[in-house]
Amino acid sequence: MSYSEKDIKTLIQEFKEIEELMALKEILWINGKKESFESAIKSSSVDPVNIEDAEKRLTRFSSFIKEVFPETKEANGIIESPLTAIPSMKKSLEDDFDVSIPGSLYLKCDSHLPVSGSIKARGGIYAVLKHAEDLALNAGILSIDDDYSCFASEKFKDFFSQYAISVSSTGNLGLSIGIISAVLGFRVTVHMSKDARKWKKDMLRSKGVTVKEYDADFSAAVIEGRKQSEKDPLCFFVDDENSNDLFYGYAVASLRLKKHLESQNVHISKEKPLFVYLPCGVGGGPGGVAFGLKLMFQDNVHCFFAEPTHAPSMLLGILTGLHDAICVQDIGIDNLTAADGLAVGRPSKFVGKEMEKFLSGSYTISDQRMFYLLNKMVENEGIKIEPSGLAGLYGPVQLLKSQEGQQYIEDNGLSETIKNAVHISWATGGSMVPSSEMDEFINVGKAIDINEL
Ligand SMILES: *Cc1c(COP(=O)(O)O)cnc(C)c1O
């Protein structure tokens, strides 16, 4: 499926943003298809019960998680990350980009989620646990009231060794699915796109995971992974382009974030609006989190996706309404970015269709700026994040500095309340990056002259 030059010309006439995307400009696009929460939820295909169900399932598995991942002991086997106020970074953004950011700025540190060090430790691990539970229940070796630490037993490992799990990934999803599947005893294969870092493949191989490498991008790795998995009836393919379970696993973050904010005495309301900026690849992670946040805070939360200028696939899909029928290569963009977690050329149709009524907008950010922000985050807050994870940090600047953002604030009746705003940048990965590689990232960022951005 690819677009002819004529089709593209028609698209450019209809959507002026496409030319800016083709020129690799950093833009903020406000989503004209957003509806009020009340209206959007009516036509949603996602039943919120599934998210509560996911939270309960993760609680059932907590005794197992605690046992096999001792780093989760303190949190009682719940895989969760801190929400950290970053006032120094906020000041630095204001100074560097000559903008005032009213309200407070927080970092949601999914970069530091236990087990796999990225947002994929939510959805990926959940999807595998759900599958494992289904298999065990169907085989009659588990009842739902059992202590789930039994999943760590040799008996269960033997049982799961009959079955296979496979997944296609730019790196982090493979890491998360590979780690949890191997611990459960599954035979596991990860199909890595050319973006995947060597250390991620090495780590997986050291855990007994089969890693297949492709000299192709994510969408191609998905097609190949799916095809190979279909040949094995005992193989379960975690489909990043279409998985409801990944989506529910990600969405659980929202229930916890609400409690987290309340425990810090932050109560989101009409007077205190919440703005959340989420790095977006194929869409499942940011889509699931944003959907959950809309359920929690309805019209008082404003969700924005962030993508590299070289891979604005979700923006392109929602803007044109073509979703997975168009990819960034169709408009001459190469999908090459150091933000490997976001190197996706064709978006998830499931997520795009679901989110187009809820999403406030989407923006693009250059690789250079991600590296610049990476170094600033270390300097100001001492927090180390991989490049993809920095995309969300530019959101408040895009919102408050651009004309489109100012218009959004006015159109949504936020001119008065913006001074009380709570901004959350979702940091999506980084804590497992080897220190030599992280030092290189920092040095790249350090060398960037802000006047060249
Ligand atoms: C996967 C990933 C994302 C985006 O999630 P998608 O589900 O692909 O949209 C963002 N940041 C990092 C670091 C990731 O690994």
Side-chain angles (χ1 to χ4, degrees), residues 117-120 170-173 200 218 240 250 278-287 314 340-342 344 386-389 427-430:
S118 82
I119 190 170
K120 307 299 192 306
T170 62
N172 285 337
L173 187 63
K200 293 180 186 172
F218 173 73
D240 201 11
Y250 288 123
L278 299 137
C280 180
V282 73
M314 186 58 79
D340 45 1
L342 313 180
V344 176
E386 66 186 83
S388 303
T428 45

Side-chain angles (χ1 to χ4, degrees), residues 195-406:
D195 315 281
R197 303 264 159 193
K198 185 173 176 296
W199 68 266
K200 293 180 186 172
K201 301 180 221 175
D202 292 345
M203 182 182 283
L204 285 173
R205 288 188 172 122
S206 78
K207 294 178 191 293
V209 172
T210 305
V211 177
K212 296 198 177 178
E213 299 176 62
Y214 297 87
D215 189 25
D217 84 350
F218 173 73
S219 311
V222 170
I223 291 170
E224 194 51 36
R226 206 183 270 138
K227 200 167 86 190
Q228 291 188 24
S229 308
E230 276 165 5
K231 290 185 201 146
D232 178 355
L234 296 180
C235 180
F236 175 64
F237 181 67
V238 181
D239 193 332
D240 201 11
E241 290 180 341
N242 295 301
S243 167
N244 287 313
D245 287 331
L246 280 173
F247 192 86
Y248 302 144
Y250 288 123
V252 167
S254 63
L255 309 169
R256 299 179 182 165
L257 185 81
K258 183 160 191 269
K259 285 188 195 152
H260 222 135
L261 283 168
E262 283 168 0
S263 74
Q264 299 191 18
N265 227 349
V266 178
H267 300 277
I268 301 307
S269 67
K270 198 165 180 346
E271 281 64 49
K272 200 175 190 58
L274 175 62
F275 293 82
V276 185
Y277 312 96
L278 299 137
C280 180
V282 73
V289 172
F291 181 83
L293 290 172
K294 291 305 285 189
L295 287 177
M296 293 300 114
F297 304 111
Q298 311 201 346
D299 292 325
N300 298 325
V301 63
H302 306 268
C303 299
F304 292 87
F305 287 173
E307 291 176 293
T309 50
H310 283 258
S313 54
M314 186 58 79
L315 200 169
L316 184 64
I318 296 183
L319 167 73
T320 58
L322 290 166
H323 301 295
D324 66 345
I326 191 164
C327 64
V328 300
Q329 289 90 342
D330 288 337
I331 61 166
I333 299 180
D334 59 14
N335 190 29
L336 295 178
T337 168
D340 45 1
L342 313 180
V344 176
R346 192 183 294 280
S348 159
K349 178 182 178 182
F350 154 60
V351 174
K353 282 193 118 98
E354 188 54 49
M355 290 314 295
E356 67 186 355
K357 292 158 283 178
F358 292 102
L359 191 68
S360 294
S362 209
Y363 63 87
T364 53
I365 172 170
S366 72
D367 279 24
Q368 289 291 93
R369 199 181 299 274
M370 285 185 241
F371 278 114
Y372 180 84
L373 294 172
L374 187 155
N375 175 52
K376 287 287 166 183
M377 184 61 87
V378 179
E379 281 183 8
N380 286 290
E381 306 284 350
I383 302 174
K384 294 178 179 174
I385 307 170
E386 66 186 83
S388 303
L390 270 307
L393 191 62
Y394 197 48
V397 179
Q398 280 283 35
L399 178 72
L400 292 151
K401 208 177 168 176
S402 70
Q403 211 187 332
E404 290 80 3
Q406 286 300 332

Side-chain angles (χ1 to χ4, degrees), residues 25-45:
K25 284 206 177 128
E26 294 179 312
I27 65 166
L28 170 64
W29 168 70
I30 298 301
N31 175 19
K33 292 177 209 165
K34 179 168 90 85
E35 298 173 14
S36 70
F37 175 78
E38 196 185 81
S39 150
I41 197 69
K42 277 191 194 128
S43 54
S44 166
S45 66

